[in-house]
């Protein structure tokens, strides 16, 4: 048994920004109080991993183990952990759920007040990381680090899931699919017979389309500058396509003309501040709801006050508004009951060793999701 001992295993380490990851042997310390050591079985590669690898100059982030869309099996638990046992199937969470704080107790948010201590949105602070390599602490991305065969996660940032769930599929519920689907269903609260527009057709945008359809939208307009994505979008329920490159006028004008004054709901699933504004302006002024799903913390956005004064609502969404533990368990069940798709998001499968290839595919827009077997 490995419980209580340091585990030596493989991980993909980011030593600095803008460089390929390197596969290293790392040491993973045993879990401390309230922590769980998880054997990661499968992980997706998400745009947010790339964001922190390429688009941030923050040197304090490295060396780091990226990856936050994974699933695995509990190997051992630290003192005070009662909810998990070795052998449990789990999904690490980017939004924790302690069940005790005022946010967790409120139905108005999926945030957890303790989240920022254990699941910071950039990285875990060095002293709490349990991953080491060549005598150096490796930072744990979002407190999770799924690009590693083992990781140590706080129990509030771990969802227990159906023992029958296929980990190589449900890993995608750790980020992208819950994020997009929930943004439509929980945050936008898409209504039956409504018209929707989804900007950006990566896994997040496609999941948003799936959510719009699930909620009964009549018309779902898919917007992307890469026309290769349109075919996949049809599979998830898109009814119309708009490629901004085919038009000289602003995309909001195009959508407004297509829909007799604007869509009821729009979702920005790219992380581009200009597109966020376009998505807002694409909504019908009287009641349109626009949800920001794409992630960026680099720039300010802008809009005309009258865009909102007229009656539009502009809101943000994190992890699709799902409370971490409850939401993931629920979405795993929805997949098992064939209420949502997951397999269709997976365009590539490969071993962890090929991670740089997986990163390139996503960067070049050639994959929706690569699932790595860890
Ligand atoms: N207009 C329309 N589509 C665009 C534009 C644009 N200006 N710029 C990029 N896109 C499209 C790309 O062509 C691509 O198909 O957006 C899509 C983004 O998809 P992925 O790169 O696969 O990203 P994904 O993993 O889906 O994440 C999207 O959601 O959670 C966040 O951090 C995540 O910000 C990221 C976003
Ligand atoms: Zn993600």
């Amino acid at each position: 048994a490995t419980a209580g001992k340091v585990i030596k295993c493989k991980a993909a380490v980011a030593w600095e920004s803008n460089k390929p990851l390197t596969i290293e042997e790392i040491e993973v310390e045993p879990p401390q109080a309230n922590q769980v050591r998880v054997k990661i079985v499968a992980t997706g590669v998400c745009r947010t991993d790339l964001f922190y690898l390429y688009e941030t100059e923050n040197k304090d982030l490295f060396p780091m183990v990226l990856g936050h869309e994974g699933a695995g099996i509990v190997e051992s638990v630290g003192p005070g952990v009662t909810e998990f046992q070795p052998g449990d199937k789990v999904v690490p969470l980017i939004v924790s759920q302690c069940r005790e704080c005022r946010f967790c107790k409120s139905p108005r948010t999926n945030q957890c007040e303790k989240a920022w201590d254990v699941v910071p949105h950039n990285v875990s602070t060095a002293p709490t990381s349990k991953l080491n390599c060549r005598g150096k602490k490796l930072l744990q991305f979002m407190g999770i680090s799924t690009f590693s065969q083992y990781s140590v996660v706080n129990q509030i940032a771990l969802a227990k899931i159906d023992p029958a769930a296929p980990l190589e599929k449900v890993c995608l519920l750790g980020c992208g699919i819950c994020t997009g689907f929930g943004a439509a269903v929980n945050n936008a609260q898409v209504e039956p017979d409504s018209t929707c527009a989804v900007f950006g057709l990566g896994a997040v945008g496609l999941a948003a389309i799936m959510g719009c359809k699930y909620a009964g939208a009549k018309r779902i307009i898919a917007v992307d500058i890469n026309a290769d994505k349109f075919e996949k979008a049809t599979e998830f329920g898109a009814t119309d396509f708009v490629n901004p490159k085919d038009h000289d006028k602003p995309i909001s004008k195009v959508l407004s003309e297509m829909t007799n004054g604007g869509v009821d709901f729009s979702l920005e699933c790219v992380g581009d501040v200009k597109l966020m504004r376009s998505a807002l302006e694409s909504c019908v002024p009287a009641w349109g709801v626009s949800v920001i799903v794409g992630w960026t913390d680099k720039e300010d956005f802008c809009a005309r006050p009258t865009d909102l004064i007229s009656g539009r609502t502009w809101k943000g969404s994190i992890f699709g508004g799902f409370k971490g533990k409850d939401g993931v368990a629920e979405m795993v069940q929805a997949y098992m009951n064939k209420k949502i798709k997951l397999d269709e998001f997976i365009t590539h499968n490969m071993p962890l060793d090929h991670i740089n290839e997986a990163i390139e595919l996503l960067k070049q827009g050639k994959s929706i999701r690569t699932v790595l077997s860890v």
Side-chain angles (χ1 to χ4, degrees), residues 46 48 68-69 175-176:
C46 169
T48 319
H68 61 282
E69 196 175 76
C175 179

Side-chain angles (χ1 to χ4, degrees), residues 47-48 200-204 224-225 229 269-270 275 294-295 362 369:
R47 172 67 53 180
T48 319
L201 306 176
V204 176
D224 202 299
I225 48 175
K229 305 276 178 138
C269 303
V270 179
L275 206 58
W295 178 268
L362 187 63
R369 276 295 187 264

